[in-house]
């Protein structure tokens, strides 16, 4: 599959599509961070998905964005020309703690930094101290243009074809990562939850606005700089975001940006200013679930907070690369 897209004639760049649908809604940092560098300035973007070199996405000038899956280097690597960093290798983690049908594993209870993000709604007030560790996924994959994403298979019954296209060995760690993401996307949601995996920014916009309308606010957690586990204090200025309907989108481990989005009617979202013990400030987004009765009783949140399903609202802060959509 080789495709050259001319931005002026064929596809609107994802950020132009965003502005055309949501002219008054600023794009959150979690999304601007994974757009193509220089896409707007460039007239064309070329994307090739082939057997020879894994998946290669090149966009913009000066190296732009280069996504390489499999290929000679092995691993799932993502590099952005601007950063000139080493490739980023993603690890096979446990099932997502933001998918409520899963039981937590022992290793997850001890090793998953997301454990620290769960708390009870009654503690959501200034002065509360929480030990938190904000992380981004190690996968910095950017969005593919919608045409490329839509023409690239994404289903369990096409796994062999997908791995072949991406030049990933079927028994490799990379293959397991990709299979996990696809299978999580295909599983049914809990009662009252509408779920969808967006494989492009445009499809995320379409799903979220179909559920909430176009008068929306879209937010993500913003951290001054990366830091490990430390004590944070909730500062004055906690603000409930409008509405009890929300679409929450969680970034998945995949060679290009895929978000697991779910809409629930029993969700409240908050903007929460935090101050770290070392002076770091975080503009955090917290989501509180008022009905957890359908969650797996062994879910991470219940084991960490020592509460039972359906008893009290359970909240969690969002990692930096997750996004919340709420009606204004």
């Amino acid at each position: 599959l080789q495709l050259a897209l001319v931005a002026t004639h064929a596809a609107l760049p994802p950020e132009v599509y965003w502005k055309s649908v949501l002219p008054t809604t600023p794009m959150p940092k979690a999304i601007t961070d994974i757009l193509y560098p220089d896409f707007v300035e460039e007239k064309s973007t070329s994307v090739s998905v082939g057997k020879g070199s894994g998946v290669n996405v090149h966009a913009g000038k000066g190296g732009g964005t280069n996504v390489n899956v499999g290929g000679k280097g092995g691993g799932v690597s993502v590099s952005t020309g601007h950063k000139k960093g080493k490739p980023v290798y993603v690890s096979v983690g446990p099932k997502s703690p933001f998918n409520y049908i899963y039981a937590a594993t022992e290793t997850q209870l001890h090793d998953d930094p997301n454990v620290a993000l769960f708390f009870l709604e009654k503690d959501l007030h200034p002065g509360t101290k929480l030990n938190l560790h904000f992380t981004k996924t190690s996968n910095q994959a950017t969005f593919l243009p919608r045409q490329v994403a839509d023409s690239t298979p994404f289903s369990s019954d096409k796994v062999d074809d997908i791995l072949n296209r991406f030049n990933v060995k079927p028994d490799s760690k990379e293959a397991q990562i990709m299979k996990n993401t696809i299978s999580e996307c295909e599983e049914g949601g809990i009662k009252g939850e509408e779920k969808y995996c967006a494989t492009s920014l445009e499809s995320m916009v379409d799903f979220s606005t179909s559920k909430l309308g176009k008068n929306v606010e879209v937010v993500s957690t913003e951290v001054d700089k990366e830091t490990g586990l430390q004590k944070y204090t909730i500062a004055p200025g906690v603000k409930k975001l409008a509405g009890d309907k929300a679409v929450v989108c969680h970034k998945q481990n995949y060679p290009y940006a895929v978000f697991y989005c779910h809409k629930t009617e029993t969700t409240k979202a908050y903007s929460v200013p935090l101050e770290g013990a070392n002076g770091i400030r975080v503009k955090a987004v917290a989501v509180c679930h008022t009905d957890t009765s359908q969650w797996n009783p062994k879910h991470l949140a219940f084991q960490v907070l020592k509460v039972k399903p359906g008893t009290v609202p359970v909240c969690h802060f969002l990692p930096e690369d997750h996004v919340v959509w709420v009606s204004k």
Side-chain angles (χ1 to χ4, degrees), residues 260-286:
Y260 160 64
C261 298
H262 51 147
K263 180 221 170 195
T264 58
E265 303 276 348
T266 55
T267 303
K268 294 187 273 188
Y270 293 89
S271 169
V272 185
L274 297 170
E275 291 176 3
N278 63 355
I280 282 181
R281 291 176 185 273
V282 177
K283 290 198 292 189
V285 177

Side-chain angles (χ1 to χ4, degrees), residues 66-109:
N66 193 26
V67 177
N68 170 19
V69 186
K72 293 175 188 170
V76 175
S77 66
V78 180
S79 65
T80 303
H82 292 272
K83 292 183 181 171
K84 295 184 177 161
K86 293 179 181 172
V88 177
Y89 289 86
V90 297
S91 59
V92 183
K95 297 285 195 178
S96 168
F98 307 111
N99 194 328
Y100 308 117
I101 62 175
Y102 296 127
T105 62
E106 277 304 313
T107 54
Q108 191 170 20
L109 279 166

Side-chain angles (χ1 to χ4, degrees), residues 97-131:
F98 307 111
N99 194 328
Y100 308 117
I101 62 175
Y102 296 127
T105 62
E106 277 304 313
T107 54
Q108 191 170 20
L109 279 166
H110 295 113
D111 302 333
D112 188 342
N114 291 315
V115 166
L117 298 181
F118 285 92
F119 63 98
L120 296 175
E121 189 179 36
K122 68 181 179 63
D123 296 325
L124 188 58
H125 54 77
T128 296
K129 295 188 185 307
L130 298 160
N131 287 314

